[in-house]
């Protein structure tokens, strides 16, 4: 049997890594195999990346096939350097994440030919906004907020269940949050007491509405700063899988929304496409707009009213999440594990 040639795409984030394996001449088809590696407590981002690569290499070996190109996305220069250092002599391409996301959106025909697009990436650790010119692929601006992300959503849902007399760990609350992306009503049972609670998609929408409202203000602020209204907004990361989040953003913002059925795999699929196109490259970077260009005018001063509102939202959300996570902190210290929180800033080149 003749050996086939495969390419591997990997996306890295604060929560871990996702990998997708496919044939080099069929990167647009459903993958041969894929995996998700959760970042362990105290573990590094690159550890999850190379565990995902190891699993996909094992899968290729079992099929007697050869991986000819590997591409890994990174969110910032420090991540890219950590991946390159860990790779050693292993050949792989490190790609700035917006490049991979843009590549896949263009491949699927969802990207406008002109104007700009805003990438709204709401993942486990927070929200990253990137506005990109569709004709030149130049990044006009990028911003990041850690006020609320998927981890915060998990904690808020767990807090709601505790109020209903049901105590579950964060992994279970995350599972129920993911189920609410497709199910309207869930019955949750306390594994110890047997107490039951019913939660609905509307309950979850109410929980996260303040954070989504804050993110909509964040979007409007970026548009004001660049002075370039986008022609659409792509919803990326795991959180937009929940329809209530998409509906709230649609209500809050007057922008066409671009949504892939698997938004958390958009970066991975873009990495697959680039692995097939550039198997020997070492780094694929984003293009930054010339700082002297008109689009990068300074933002106007923010009013006192807006500042007070932003502080109020941050304080409310932060206080709720801290309370919801209190039990986990005490349990982690009992088990000898130290929780790790990573705040990733905008990419630095």
């Amino acid at each position: 049997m003749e050996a086939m040639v495969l390419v591997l795409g990997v996306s890295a984030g604060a929560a871990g890594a996702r990998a997708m394996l496919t044939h080099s001449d069929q990167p647009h088809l459903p993958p041969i195999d894929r995996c998700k590696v959760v970042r362990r407590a105290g573990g590094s981002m690159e550890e999850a990346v190379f565990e995902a690569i190891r699993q996909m290499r094992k899968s290729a070996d079992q099929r007697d096939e050869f991986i000819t190109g590997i591409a890994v996305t990174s969110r910032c220069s420090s991540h890219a350097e950590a991946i390159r250092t860990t790779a050693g002599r292993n050949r792989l391409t490190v790609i700035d994440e917006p490049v991979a996301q843009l590549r896949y959106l263009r491949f699927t025909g969802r990207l406008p030919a002109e104007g700009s697009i805003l990438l709204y990436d709401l993942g486990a650790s927070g929200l990253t906004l990137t506005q990109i010119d569709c004709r030149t692929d130049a990044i006009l601006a990028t911003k990041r907020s850690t006020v609320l992300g998927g981890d915060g959503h998990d904690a808020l849902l767990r807090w709601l269940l505790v109020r209903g007399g049901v105590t579950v760990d964060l992994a279970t609350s995350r599972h129920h949050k993911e189920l609410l992306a497709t199910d309207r009503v869930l019955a949750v049972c306390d594994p110890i007491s047997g107490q039951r609670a019913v939660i609905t998609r509307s309950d979850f929408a109410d929980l996260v509405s303040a954070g989504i409202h804050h993110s909509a203000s964040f979007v409007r602020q970026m548009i004001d700063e660049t002075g370039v209204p986008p022609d659409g907004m792509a919803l990326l990361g795991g959180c937009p899988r929940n329809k209530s989040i998409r509906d709230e953003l649609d209500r809050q913002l007057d922008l066409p929304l671009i949504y892939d059925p698997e938004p958390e795999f958009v970066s991975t699929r873009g990495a697959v496409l680039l692995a097939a196109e550039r198997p020997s490259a070492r780094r694929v970077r984003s293009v930054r707009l010339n700082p002297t260009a008109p689009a990068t005018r300074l933002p106007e001063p923010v009013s006192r009213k807006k500042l007070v509102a932003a502080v109020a939202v941050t304080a409310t959300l932060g206080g709720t999440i801290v309370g919801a996570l209190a039990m986990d902190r005490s349990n982690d210290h009992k088990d000898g594990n130290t929780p790790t929180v990573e705040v990733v800033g905008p990419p630095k080149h």
Side-chain angles (χ1 to χ4, degrees):
M1 177 179 174
E2 183 181 355
M4 300 296 289
V5 175
L6 302 178
V7 289
L8 172 61
V10 184
S11 61
R18 290 182 172 88
M20 187 172 288
L21 187 68
T22 186
H23 287 117
S24 58
D25 60 342
Q26 300 174 343
H28 57 293
L29 297 182
I32 295 169
D33 200 359
R34 65 181 178 182
C35 70
K36 176 183 177 181
V37 176
V38 178
R39 182 175 177 177
R40 67 178 180 84
S44 65
M45 171 275 306
E46 61 271 20
E47 178 184 302
V49 166
F50 285 93
E51 172 58 23
I53 291 175
R54 186 195 67 78
Q55 290 185 23
M56 292 296 94
R57 279 179 168 160
K58 181 179 179 180
S59 178
D61 289 342
Q62 290 172 346
R63 291 170 170 79
D64 195 25
E65 298 180 84
F66 175 71
I67 299 177
T68 185
I70 301 174
V72 182
T73 67
S74 68
R75 291 185 176 179
C76 57
S77 293
S78 60
H79 277 187
E81 184 60 32
I83 293 168
R84 287 199 304 270
T85 300
T86 307
R89 294 183 177 275
N90 292 311
R91 295 178 63 83
L92 55 79
T93 302
V94 181
I95 306 166
D96 284 359
E97 190 168 45
V99 174
Q101 293 168 338
L102 206 66
R103 179 67 185 88
Y104 180 67
L105 293 174
R106 179 171 284 118
F107 178 82
T108 58
R110 294 184 175 97
L111 201 65
E114 299 290 337
S116 70
I117 188 172
L118 201 152
L119 305 178
Y120 177 102
D121 191 347
L122 185 57
S125 63
L127 170 66
T128 302
L129 297 180
T130 310
Q131 190 171 354
I132 300 180
D133 182 87
C134 294
R135 185 175 58 83
T136 64
D137 290 356
I139 291 181
L140 306 180
T142 185
K143 296 172 72 71
R144 181 157 175 82
S145 170
T146 57
V147 168
L148 195 64
D151 290 345
H153 293 169
D154 300 338
L156 286 171
L157 184 57
R158 187 186 182 207
W159 169 78
L160 179 66
L161 290 170
V162 168
R163 289 186 62 190
V166 174
T167 301
V168 297
D169 58 27
L170 278 173
T172 302
S173 65
R174 181 178 300 114
H175 173 67
H176 290 308
K177 177 196 70 176
E178 292 169 351
L179 288 177
L180 286 172
T182 54
D183 299 344
R184 291 184 177 275
V185 181
L186 287 178
V188 184
C189 181
D190 189 307
I192 297 176
S193 68
Q195 177 76 19
R196 297 175 68 84
V198 175
I199 52 174
T200 67
R201 188 182 294 170
S202 295
D203 293 332
F204 179 77
D206 291 340
L207 279 178
V208 303
S209 62
I212 300 304
H213 181 81
H214 167 79
S215 76
S217 299
F218 208 49
V219 168
R220 288 189 285 266
Q221 182 185 20
M222 170 173 276
I223 296 172
D224 287 344
E225 290 177 1
T226 63
V228 182
D231 293 273
M233 186 170 80
L235 304 181
L236 310 170
C239 295
R241 264 188 177 271
N242 193 288
K243 189 176 184 298
S244 60
I245 291 178
R246 302 198 302 272
D247 290 345
E248 184 64 23
L249 287 170
D250 193 34
R251 283 191 291 268
Q252 293 279 339
L253 298 167
D254 186 22
L255 288 173
L257 299 182
I258 301 168
Y259 176 71
D260 185 87
E262 293 184 314
E264 71 275 30
F265 275 99
V266 167
S267 298
T268 316
R269 289 185 180 276
V272 164
L273 288 166
L274 289 165
E277 295 169 3
R278 314 176 190 190
S280 61
R282 294 296 293 175
R283 179 79 189 273
V284 181
R285 295 189 178 186
S286 307
V287 178
R288 295 282 171 167
L289 185 70
N290 188 327
T292 61
T296 56
R297 64 183 178 84
L298 292 175
E300 297 177 0
V302 180
S303 69
R304 178 181 178 84
K305 183 178 179 181
K306 288 183 179 179
L307 286 173
V308 171
V311 170
V313 170
T314 302
T316 302
L317 294 171
T320 303
I321 293 171
V322 166
L325 290 172
M327 286 185 291
D328 266 352
R329 289 199 185 98
S330 61
N331 290 337
D332 284 336
H333 288 301
K334 289 177 183 178
D335 296 337
N337 297 324
T338 303
T340 308
V341 178
E342 179 177 354
V343 179
V344 181
K348 297 178 182 179
H349 303 295

